[in-house]
Amino acid sequence: HDALPIYVPGLAMHSIVMQRIFPAGSAAVTQQHLLGELESEVDQKEIRLSQKTTQKDLERQIIEFANRAFRRPVTTSQIQPFLALAQTGLDAGEKPFDVLMACYRGILCSPRFLYFIEPVGKLDDFAVANRLSYMLTNSMPDAELLKVAREKKLHHKSVLHEQTERILKQHGELEFVTHFADQWLDLVDIGFTEPDRKSHRDFDPIVQNTMLDETRYFLSDLLKENASVSRLISAKHTFANSRLARYYGIEGVTGEDIQRIDLERGSNRGGLLAQGAILKVTANGTNTSPVLRGVWVS
């Protein structure tokens, strides 16, 4: 028999363009961080520093890089091994760029980059800047925060509050909530198990991602309202879009955007313990697990 046409919606893709993405900024920004004011030539094969590059030029760039990597001004004793490494490389006739990269590798292998090296006793301003930045952005302090730390102003409560608000506004409160909840609530492990497709035919990655959004928006809303901590356990609302609402069996929700939904009296969807992301993290993929959930609650 001749094949009958199937009149269903479809998608035809005629072409696709892939672009390189630089999460930390463009290639030019990265080059500025690595090479600073050093004269350089860049082609597809390699990067070359000008033959006019002196040892003093390299030392100045190494110190600047170390200040960023160590998240505080380096002392003479801390930077000396790297400056000595640069001098040895240049004396041996190595290319200035290769010498610079060798010093960078040494700096990035240093415990002062890999760990927080904090003074004994009261935290200094740079230690406070580190803790604040990694807490809120999961990354190193930005230029403005380091500037305030150098001015020794971070121990003033008003300045600390001001910087906290600035960082949250600049990076987005939802970004902070996402990093925080990933660790606090183990949401980072949501993809560790795969539900049984026979038992959960309507579950897919879109539902999983929206479950994560539900928890993140729920926590963000709680923080914005400075609401009671009891809402974590018992709430009269949640956040969902039409796809997640349909998965939960909640009617009357339209649109793909996450929105606040008031739950009906008697609904069992209120609070963290009823949210899909939490339930998935504390299950084994096939059945619910009282042991996993008990440990999680504890």
Side-chain angles (χ1 to χ4, degrees):
H1 299 286
D2 293 333
L4 297 175
I6 302 176
Y7 296 104
V8 296
L11 176 67
M13 191 171 295
H14 295 283
S15 65
I16 185 170
V17 177
M18 303 295 291
Q19 293 183 328
R20 294 183 68 184
I21 297 174
F22 301 92
S26 66
V29 171
T30 301
Q31 182 174 332
Q32 176 63 31
H33 284 319
L34 293 177
L35 302 182
E37 302 304 320
L38 297 177
E39 293 185 25
S40 61
E41 298 177 1
V42 182
D43 58 32
Q44 294 182 345
K45 293 184 178 180
E46 64 176 349
I47 300 174
R48 294 180 297 275
L49 293 179
S50 168
Q51 294 296 327
K52 299 178 182 179
T53 303
T54 66
Q55 182 174 331
K56 289 293 183 183
D57 293 333
L58 285 184
E59 289 182 354
R60 185 171 59 251
Q61 185 60 32
I62 291 167
I63 292 172
E64 185 175 332
F65 183 84
N67 285 338
R68 292 189 71 242
F70 295 167
R71 302 173 290 273
R72 62 171 62 238
V74 294
T75 64
T76 302
S77 61
Q78 292 167 0
I79 199 65
Q80 190 55 44
F82 305 107
L83 301 184
L85 178 63
Q87 182 175 2
T88 301
L90 290 176
D91 291 345
E94 297 179 19
K95 297 178 181 178
F97 181 78
D98 293 339
V99 171
L100 187 64
M101 290 302 108
C103 293
Y104 283 178
R105 280 193 291 272
I107 290 171
L108 297 178
C109 289
S110 168
R112 294 186 180 277
F113 169 71
L114 298 173
Y115 304 103
F116 292 162
I117 305 296
E118 299 176 339
V120 176
K122 183 179 179 180
L123 296 177
D124 64 14
D125 287 73
F126 290 102
V128 173
N130 270 318
R131 293 188 176 200
L132 180 64
S133 182
Y134 278 90
M135 172 69 181
L136 298 181
T137 71
N138 212 30
S139 186
M140 63 191 298
D142 60 15
E144 182 172 341
L145 189 58
L146 286 176
K147 177 177 179 292
V148 176
R150 280 195 299 270
E151 295 170 351
K152 299 183 177 180
K153 294 180 179 179
L154 269 182
H155 276 87
H156 301 308
K157 288 186 178 180
S158 59
V159 176
L160 189 60
H161 184 271
E162 179 184 302
Q163 287 297 313
T164 301
E165 293 293 337
R166 178 190 69 81
I167 292 170
L168 284 175
K169 183 177 181 180
Q170 184 173 328
H171 289 267
E173 293 181 12
L174 199 61
E175 181 181 338
F176 159 67
V177 170
T178 296
H179 292 310
F180 185 70
D182 278 354
Q183 303 302 319
W184 174 41
L185 303 177
D186 293 333
L187 298 186
V188 70
D189 295 327
I190 194 168
F192 187 71
T193 60
E194 183 70 21
D196 183 355
R197 291 296 182 182
K198 294 181 180 178
S199 303
H200 304 279
R201 294 180 183 275
D202 51 351
F203 181 86
D204 57 31
I206 296 176
V207 169
Q208 176 170 299
N209 290 335
T210 313
M211 285 176 171
L212 289 169
D213 285 339
E214 173 189 22
T215 301
R216 292 163 181 166
Y217 277 82
F218 180 81
L219 293 174
S220 180
D221 179 69
L222 184 144
L223 290 174
K224 286 180 181 178
E225 294 188 11
N226 195 24
S228 169
V229 70
S230 63
R231 186 182 290 183
L232 292 172
I233 303 299
S234 178
K236 297 179 181 179
H237 69 278
T238 191
F239 288 80
N241 60 8
S242 59
R243 181 70 180 88
L244 184 61
R246 186 165 71 249
Y247 184 80
Y248 282 166
I250 300 174
E251 299 179 353
V253 179
T254 59
E256 294 304 311
D257 294 332
I258 296 292
Q259 54 198 278
R260 177 171 170 149
I261 298 171
D262 292 326
L263 299 171
E264 296 181 359
R265 179 175 295 183
S267 172
N268 61 353
R269 285 292 170 191
L272 288 180
L273 298 177
Q275 293 178 3
I278 305 300
L279 295 172
K280 187 174 188 301
V281 164
T282 57
N284 61 18
T286 304
N287 298 309
T288 58
S289 175
V291 173
L292 284 177
R293 290 182 178 169
V295 170
W296 187 93
V297 170
S298 295

